[in-house]
Amino acid sequence: MTQNSFKTLQEALLLSLEEKLIDDEEFALLYEEFTPQNLPFRHWDYEKFSLENKDPAECKADFRFEKSDISLLVDVLQMPDTFTCPNGTVCDSTEGLCVLLRRFSYLCRLSDMISTYGRSVPELSMISNEVTEWMYNVHGHRITEWNHFIMSPNLLQTYSEAIHDKGAALENCSGFVDGTVRPISKPGVNQRAVYNGHKRVHALKFQSLALPNGLIGHPFGPVEGRMHDARMLDTSGLYVDLAQFAFSPAGQEMCIYGDPAYPLRIHLQCPFGNGVLTRQMEEFNAAMSSVPTSVELMVVWRPYKLFQVSRLQKESQNWP
């Protein structure tokens, strides 16, 4: 039931009470029954969303994309003309994408988006969920599986050159893997499963492969907080993909770099430890440890832009 419907019923109840068609007790019961659970935001006071009316600077701030790129993204992602929610709410592809981008660009409440889209909180929630589900079902394999578009042999070679130019000792390192602990509230059951002894918090863990262009090449998770990073790597299947696909155009094995929690493998390098370190070993560790921070800040390598408009226009028809 919409906010307007609730308002109409409440006005009818007030009129019935005034005309003494119902008594005070009946009025109280019915009024409480027909009071909306959502706060009565007056979404009807705002205009419906129109990308043409958005200022370019406002688009960049709200969506983190240029205004001229939104329609291009719709085409490249091959989005349907409209999205229909379970309750019948309909929005076009441009509005649906903008709702998704606004929702994920920065922490915000759905009520903060009412003035932009002129829709109620339930509508915005359903649209966001509908577009998110479509995006995952259609394009989810790009992050759950080895993405050949951003981790092709040529790009892996380019990544390794950028990392080495930044000061890394390895010449074939194309990315950095690490686990992330995200604290959660103490659960009522299965507390041991999610308790992380290292951080001493209840948590969920995620694994990310950071590339030098600022993208996450292979995300995985969540898993229980007590899982070790090495086990999470094995569970994710990342090393299996590395052994199959991580090669330069010339056939050289490419590797990623992790902390001492990971096992040493051909495609997975770690710092020296567990013993007396020579000066060369210490220099290697220092050189490699300084680069991941730069990668996280996305200052290692900037010439290549994955979402460069001209490239999107050229390759949009070739996406799998």
Side-chain angles (χ1 to χ4, degrees):
M1 186 177 293
T2 64
Q3 292 281 356
N4 285 334
S5 300
F6 279 114
K7 183 179 179 181
T8 301
L9 283 171
Q10 289 173 342
E11 291 176 350
L13 288 173
L14 288 170
L15 182 60
S16 299
L17 179 63
E18 184 179 352
E19 296 292 335
K20 297 185 178 181
L21 298 176
I22 57 176
D23 58 29
D24 292 346
E25 184 177 353
E26 291 174 327
F27 171 79
L29 291 173
L30 291 172
Y31 195 88
E32 182 178 358
E33 177 69 22
F34 292 104
T35 297
Q37 295 181 352
N38 297 310
L39 294 175
F41 295 108
R42 299 178 60 86
H43 64 275
W44 53 84
D45 289 341
Y46 299 97
E47 295 182 359
K48 293 297 184 180
F49 176 79
S50 174
L51 183 62
E52 288 73 18
N53 296 335
K54 292 280 288 185
D55 183 81
E58 193 177 4
C59 284
K60 188 66 176 292
D62 288 348
F63 310 137
R64 295 190 178 181
F65 280 92
E66 300 291 348
K67 180 177 179 178
S68 58
D69 291 345
I70 300 297
S71 59
L72 183 57
L73 277 173
V74 171
D75 293 336
V76 169
L77 293 171
Q78 300 177 1
M79 300 181 70
D81 294 335
T82 59
F83 289 94
T84 303
C85 301
N87 73 333
T89 297
V90 178
C91 74
D92 61 37
S93 55
T94 299
E95 182 181 10
L97 177 62
C98 289
V99 169
L100 182 68
L101 293 176
R102 178 70 178 90
R103 189 72 169 135
F104 284 94
S105 65
Y106 193 74
L107 294 177
C108 68
R109 297 171 296 182
L110 291 168
S111 57
D112 299 332
M113 301 164 58
I114 291 177
S115 59
T116 301
Y117 298 94
R119 290 183 179 272
S120 65
V121 167
E123 283 183 309
L124 290 171
S125 177
M126 286 183 287
I127 291 172
S128 177
N129 291 338
E130 190 73 22
V131 180
T132 300
E133 184 176 0
W134 177 88
M135 194 72 70
Y136 182 81
N137 290 336
V138 176
H139 298 289
H141 65 279
R142 302 185 190 281
I143 59 174
T144 59
E145 302 173 6
W146 186 270
N147 191 330
H148 296 275
F149 183 73
I150 62 174
M151 293 188 290
S152 64
N154 288 328
L155 288 178
L156 291 178
Q157 180 68 43
T158 305
Y159 296 155
S160 64
E161 292 173 357
I163 292 174
H164 183 63
D165 291 344
K166 194 62 180 179
L170 292 171
E171 298 182 357
N172 65 332
C173 176
S174 57
F176 298 87
V177 64
D178 197 8
T180 302
V181 177
R182 305 301 299 174
I184 61 174
S185 299
K186 181 179 178 180
V189 295
N190 299 323
Q191 296 179 14
R192 287 181 177 272
V194 296
Y195 186 76
N196 184 276
H198 178 63
K199 299 291 186 179
R200 297 185 178 182
V201 294
H202 294 89
L204 297 176
K205 292 188 69 174
F206 296 84
Q207 174 183 279
S208 297
L209 172 60
L211 301 176
N213 57 358
L215 297 179
I216 298 177
H218 195 288
F220 176 74
V223 297
E224 59 270 25
R226 70 177 181 178
M227 183 177 288
H228 193 272
D229 283 355
R231 183 185 170 196
M232 184 163 55
L233 175 72
D234 179 67
T235 305
S236 70
L238 173 58
Y239 191 80
V240 175
D241 288 339
L242 288 168
Q244 184 176 359
F245 302 116
F247 295 91
S248 71
Q252 178 189 8
E253 294 91 349
M254 307 301 291
C255 71
I256 58 176
Y257 190 81
D259 58 37
Y262 294 101
L264 184 64
R265 298 288 186 270
I266 294 177
H267 295 279
L268 176 60
Q269 297 296 305
C270 305
F272 290 100
N274 299 326
V276 178
L277 302 183
T278 66
R279 181 174 59 84
Q280 290 83 357
M281 292 179 179
E282 292 178 347
E283 291 176 352
F284 174 90
N285 288 351
M288 293 303 300
S289 64
S290 64
V291 181
T293 301
S294 299
V295 170
E296 291 174 2
L297 295 175
M298 293 182 287
V299 298
V300 172
W301 182 62
R302 292 192 180 273
Y304 176 78
K305 297 180 180 178
L306 178 63
F307 289 110
Q308 187 177 17
V309 174
S310 60
R311 176 155 190 165
L312 278 177
Q313 290 173 332
K314 180 180 179 181
E315 299 189 2
S316 61
Q317 303 302 322
N318 299 324
W319 278 38

